[in-house]
Amino acid sequence: MSNDDQTKPLPLSRRKRMSQHSQREEQAENMEGLDHLERGRNHYEQRAWAEAYRMLSLADQETPLGASDLERLAMAAYLVGRDDEYLRTLERAHNAYLNSDQCARAVRCAFWLAFRVLMRGEMGRANGWLARAQRLLEGDASECAEQGYLLLPVAQGLKLRGYEAAYAAAAEAAAIGERCGDLDLIACARMEQGRIRLQQGQVEAGLALLDETMVMVTGGELSPLVTGLMYCSVIAACQQVYAFDRTREWTVALTHWCEGQPDMVAFVGACRVHRAEIMQLRGTWPEAIEEARRAGVRSQGIDRRAAAAALYQQAEVHRLQGEFAAAEEAYRGASQLGLEPQPGLALLRLVQGRTDAAATAVRRVVGASTDLLKRMSLLPAYIEITLAGDDVEDARNACRELEDIARSFGTGVPSAIAAEARGAVDLADGDAQAALGSLRRAFEVWQRIEAPYAAARVRVLIGLACRAVGDDDGTSLEIDAARSIFERLGATPDLARIDSLMKCAPSGHSHGLTPRELQVLRLVATGESNKAVADELFLSERTIERHLSNIFTKLDLSTRTAATAWAYEHSLI
């Protein structure tokens, strides 16, 4: 080794690991002579979860732990992925608090037991623990934080009756938390308030509440359990409203938090899923699918929701890369874990050429969904699939709804999604000039946030619109730019679609007519009325009128008779 190599600074990540290792060695030396219980408590404070779990378990074997130490053991078990043991130990803590007449602490244990079994899908058991908690608080006139915790599931249930009632319950929980000085409760309630506002379409107000929550999270003011829950809940909420700047910011913070606790298993899978979603958006697909695989491995048997999300994320990248068998297997795996695999599976059916199956599936999930955020996530796929099935009228109606939702969001990405959908509908409707304006707005947003795949898909539509107005240079520039991005990403289905679209390009004999315009012209030339043509093609009469107007303009004709003669002259009939 040269002198230069010897004096070269070590990489920051390696220095950080060495520093943490040295700290752990020093802490271990300081603990010599302490008994298992004291060591367990010290490891717990240092967030060395594996050692905390081991030492507290040994102490419990020697002498049964008291209630507060049982809570520590339960939390350490949860964080190292021993979910069943977490529940058993937390139940012991609940009973220990009851036996020592610490009712409020027993209620808090019951609340977290209910929360965890609910996340496991055990509704009856969850309701039982909540009912016990409510009964234990009956007759207690003094206010306590636990009353606020029990308002959180009430707020969830009230959403079915109206968002304002749910918001009021969450606000009261936050107020109790403030009066009792319980930061965990304040954070949980603020997060719930924020998500309710998002579900109402009040995105700015909702994000402000979530940002307030994250100040507490990133400031290290909360317990490990609530810290992890808030990270996951807030990031998921930001994803739902396409607040990608916040999604990246909080995911980076979550990653640092997880890396600072190498023994921790809980929350790491969810963190990796969020990182995979960002990687997919940014166009680093190999890294995205590998991160999603790691998330699945880390979550298996520990976090069912994260494991399902990891499979869905893998399926999405497989679909975009044309690996259809792998995509289908992953979508089915996500479904078996309880996650609705739509709209991804419907989009897979579409690219496989099974348009009817795609339409049936996406209509089912859209028809069953009333949640504003869920509909926002489904409608773009619904519009794409219905347009592929030539149901322009249905797509137009869905596009109007999507635009209404996007306006309520007031943020750039939902507006871009709606503009892209509007452009696709206008293009299918024969109004290429109007489509170009919408598509350009969408492209600018996707380019600004560095989402190459989304930007390339819009460029394909822009290229088709340029072709429809006779701009051959514009068509070539847009299609070539999109092709280069698809090639870099490995988006083989999109490359195949470009090839198919270019093969269908109008020949010189068609004078620039699109395939749809040629179809309309053929039917008109046989003497069909506009209504009959509309019924034949499952379009509206207004759409047929627009197609005819475009045909007359492109062919420099003014009557149906002249258009019919032109069709016969060019052997279209």
Side-chain angles (χ1 to χ4, degrees), residues 154-404:
V154 171
Q156 285 283 340
L158 285 173
K159 289 179 185 179
L160 298 174
R161 302 181 190 176
Y163 285 117
E164 285 305 321
Y167 185 87
E172 177 58 22
I176 292 172
E178 289 171 349
R179 290 193 293 268
C180 295
D182 192 306
L183 297 180
D184 279 357
L185 174 56
I186 295 170
C188 291
R190 287 276 182 266
M191 184 275 297
E192 188 62 33
Q193 287 179 280
R195 295 197 69 140
I196 290 168
R197 286 293 183 243
L198 295 183
Q199 289 168 320
Q200 290 178 293
Q202 299 180 33
V203 175
E204 186 175 345
L207 289 176
L209 286 160
L210 296 184
D211 289 344
E212 183 181 349
T213 302
M214 292 308 294
V215 169
M216 301 171 69
V217 173
T218 56
E221 300 175 17
L222 309 178
S223 68
L225 174 60
V226 174
T227 296
L229 291 175
M230 293 303 99
Y231 266 124
C232 294
S233 296
V234 170
I235 291 171
C238 291
Q239 288 275 47
Q240 283 187 304
V241 296
Y242 307 94
F244 293 135
D245 53 345
R246 285 175 171 85
T247 300
R248 292 193 190 104
E249 180 180 352
W250 302 138
T251 300
V252 168
L254 173 57
T255 300
H256 290 328
W257 183 70
C258 290
E259 289 176 346
Q261 302 167 87
D263 297 338
M264 187 170 66
V265 174
F267 307 117
V268 174
C271 176
R272 289 189 181 278
V273 170
H274 295 315
R275 287 167 62 180
E277 290 166 346
I278 293 170
M279 290 171 179
Q280 179 188 331
L281 179 71
R282 300 296 291 271
T284 55
W285 289 358
E287 292 86 350
I289 203 163
E290 184 57 33
E291 193 71 0
R293 286 196 185 104
R294 291 195 191 104
V297 170
R298 201 66 184 265
S299 304
Q300 197 66 40
I302 298 167
D303 188 336
R304 178 176 52 83
R305 291 188 176 190
L311 283 170
Y312 186 87
Q313 191 59 35
Q314 291 174 57
E316 289 287 271
V317 181
H318 284 310
R319 172 175 63 81
L320 296 177
Q321 292 180 323
E323 299 164 350
F324 298 153
E328 177 139 2
E329 182 181 355
Y331 282 130
R332 291 189 180 280
S335 177
Q336 288 169 2
L337 290 173
L339 180 69
E340 170 63 71
Q342 303 296 356
L345 184 56
L347 291 170
L348 174 62
R349 294 289 177 254
L350 178 64
V351 77
Q352 289 174 320
R354 298 171 59 183
T355 305
D356 289 345
T360 298
V362 79
R363 283 195 170 97
R364 172 184 63 80
V365 292
V366 169
S369 176
T370 57
D371 181 80
L372 191 72
L373 301 182
K374 184 63 175 176
R375 291 186 72 80
M376 179 74 200
S377 71
L378 293 170
L379 286 171
Y382 184 91
I383 293 165
E384 180 179 351
I385 291 167
T386 51
L387 285 178
D390 285 333
D391 193 345
V392 179
E393 191 65 31
D394 195 6
R396 186 185 300 110
N397 292 333
C399 185
R400 291 194 193 102
E401 181 187 351
L402 182 62
E403 289 171 324
D404 288 341

Side-chain angles (χ1 to χ4, degrees), residues 99-148:
N99 291 336
S100 59
D101 293 325
Q102 298 183 65
C103 181
R105 296 299 303 181
V107 168
R108 185 172 302 213
C109 290
F111 170 81
W112 287 116
L113 282 163
F115 177 84
R116 185 58 198 153
V117 295
L118 181 62
M119 292 300 99
R120 288 166 45 135
E122 301 173 32
M123 182 67 73
R125 196 173 168 197
N127 286 336
W129 277 111
L130 288 174
R132 175 181 286 190
Q134 290 283 7
R135 179 175 55 77
L136 288 172
L137 283 181
E138 287 175 2
D140 189 348
S142 59
E143 184 175 70
C144 61
E146 286 69 25
Q147 293 168 338

